[in-house]
Amino acid sequence: MSVTFEKKTKPYPHWEYSNPEFDSLIRIAPERGGLITEWRSEGKELLYFDLERFLDKDKSVRGGIPILFPICGDLSEGYSSGGKMYFLKQHGFARDLPWSIGLLKDKLGIRLKLTDTKDSRSYFPFFFTLWMDVRLKEKSLQISIKIHNQSQNSMPFSFGLHPYFQVLNTQKIKIDGLPEKCIDQTNMKVTNVSDQIRILDKGVDFLSYPSSSVKLFDFLSRNVIELIHQEPMDTTVIWTDPPRQMVCLEPWTSPRNSLITGDRKLEIKPEEYIDLSTTFQHNSF
């Protein structure tokens, strides 16, 4: 059986790419920030997606895999470039702009593409092209990113993904692979990961730097999601939003405010590019 790639209108406008060999598919809404809304692996839907909220364009999305660029988190005081101050909203603008979409040449996935606009240059004064290739493999979603700086100045940025994984009960999960310490992003203080894990069902937002992959175990569904890092996209954020039964397991390149602090800030020289990648693996136990 061959892969399929087609545009659909129900239950919302999207493109669907499926690979029957792996009993897997993804659905993407390119006009809504290149959002991957659904990912099924071996017939199991793994992403949390609030369809009602998605259909209300006045509200921010809750679900799928939002794309964070050119910052992750907020940038509370703005940043300076070329002697001018610029301000970006939470997680940047990529998740709010329309992307183009097409089938990869090898037909093993899809390519999303975003370019700067006159409006985006008013708060991020750079010319750029961003490609994101999403490949469906057996039990995995492989994501490769290429960012090309087409400006005459070096372009600072952060990049991240904000995937929402559905769980049956946030009190019946386990997360392995995190270090002992983390940064509580609600107050930016260093704290114990174990203390944060105990209150997942109350709501958490913390950032850590794991040395290896991170695994999310759902004891009720028996699903395991493994985030396999690739440097420099190896910062991990865990976020929960009760009463939603989901856990965000987010790969970022840099913490919030990195354009100001310089902490893990990335820069691309004029007319050069950078490659990033990350993988989500699905298994059962």
Side-chain angles (χ1 to χ4, degrees):
M1 299 174 67
S2 59
V3 302
T4 61
F5 178 58
E6 54 188 337
K7 191 172 186 178
K8 297 189 174 184
T9 58
K10 295 181 179 180
Y12 54 90
H14 68 276
W15 286 84
E16 182 179 286
Y17 171 86
S18 66
N19 189 329
E21 179 183 357
F22 305 138
D23 192 14
S24 299
L25 68 79
I26 51 174
R27 288 177 171 166
I28 312 100
E31 295 83 5
R32 299 289 299 276
L35 182 72
I36 298 172
T37 56
E38 300 176 60
W39 171 32
R40 295 182 193 172
S41 174
E42 297 187 317
K44 293 184 176 182
E45 178 54 52
L46 302 177
L47 297 179
Y48 173 91
F49 182 55
D50 185 334
L51 176 58
E52 182 178 350
R53 189 179 176 102
F54 174 82
L55 294 174
D56 186 345
K57 294 186 179 181
D58 292 330
K59 294 182 178 179
S60 59
V61 167
R62 287 290 184 267
I65 308 181
I67 301 168
L68 315 183
F69 175 85
I71 59 170
C72 302
D74 60 2
L75 194 63
S76 55
E77 298 177 1
Y79 69 102
S80 176
S81 179
K84 293 179 63 176
M85 289 298 295
Y86 296 90
F87 297 88
L88 291 162
K89 60 183 176 179
Q90 175 94 349
H91 294 321
F93 53 77
R95 60 180 182 159
D96 298 319
L97 295 180
W99 294 56
S100 63
I101 190 171
L103 189 65
L104 289 173
K105 289 182 179 179
D106 60 13
K107 298 184 179 180
L108 293 179
I110 58 97
R111 168 168 289 180
L112 290 160
K113 179 182 176 182
L114 178 70
T115 57
D116 61 272
T117 65
K118 182 178 179 180
D119 184 54
S120 75
R121 292 193 300 274
S122 69
Y123 37 84
F124 187 66
F126 301 97
F127 296 88
F128 67 86
T129 302
L130 192 162
W131 297 270
M132 191 169 93
D133 294 353
V134 184
R135 285 182 166 85
L136 269 184
K137 298 294 183 71
E138 185 175 11
K139 298 183 180 180
S140 72
L141 196 63
Q142 298 182 0
I143 299 176
S144 302
I145 302 101
K146 182 187 289 289
I147 305 171
H148 185 194
N149 177 17
Q150 295 158 304
S151 305
Q152 297 305 308
N153 299 308
S154 290
M155 184 176 78
F157 75 97
S158 300
F159 184 91
L161 298 173
H162 197 307
Y164 291 69
F165 292 104
Q166 65 175 0
V167 296
L168 293 180
N169 188 329
T170 50
Q171 293 182 318
K172 304 291 184 180
I173 65 172
K174 181 177 74 167
I175 302 176
D176 281 352
L178 296 173
E180 290 185 2
K181 299 292 184 178
C182 66
I183 299 172
D184 182 346
Q185 296 199 115
T186 65
N187 57 26
M188 300 309 294
K189 293 182 178 179
V190 175
T191 187
N192 295 319
V193 165
S194 58
D195 292 338
Q196 296 292 304
I197 295 298
R198 278 196 289 269
I199 58 169
L200 288 173
D201 62 317
K202 303 295 191 297
V204 300
D205 181 4
F206 67 91
L207 176 148
S208 66
Y209 299 102
S211 59
S212 59
S213 66
V214 178
K215 292 182 179 180
L216 168 64
F217 295 82
D218 184 340
F219 290 111
L220 297 182
S221 70
R222 314 296 290 181
N223 284 327
V224 185
I225 301 296
E226 181 177 10
L227 168 55
I228 302 172
H229 298 102
Q230 295 284 339
E231 188 182 357
M233 203 169 165
D234 53 359
T235 299
T236 297
V237 171
I238 306 293
W239 186 67
T240 59
D241 184 31
R244 300 178 188 275
Q245 295 302 317
M246 61 81 189
V247 176
C248 289
L249 187 59
E250 310 174 36
W252 293 11
T253 62
S254 323
R256 60 178 57 189
N257 274 320
S258 66
L259 265 62
I260 297 174
T261 66
D263 186 7
R264 295 174 60 97
K265 180 179 72 173
L266 297 178
E267 286 196 54
I268 309 175
K269 294 179 180 179
E271 299 300 336
E272 294 190 5
Y273 64 86
I274 191 170
D275 290 313
L276 306 168
S277 62
T278 194
T279 297
F280 295 101
Q281 187 85 27
H282 164 240
N283 284 292
S284 300
F285 69 101

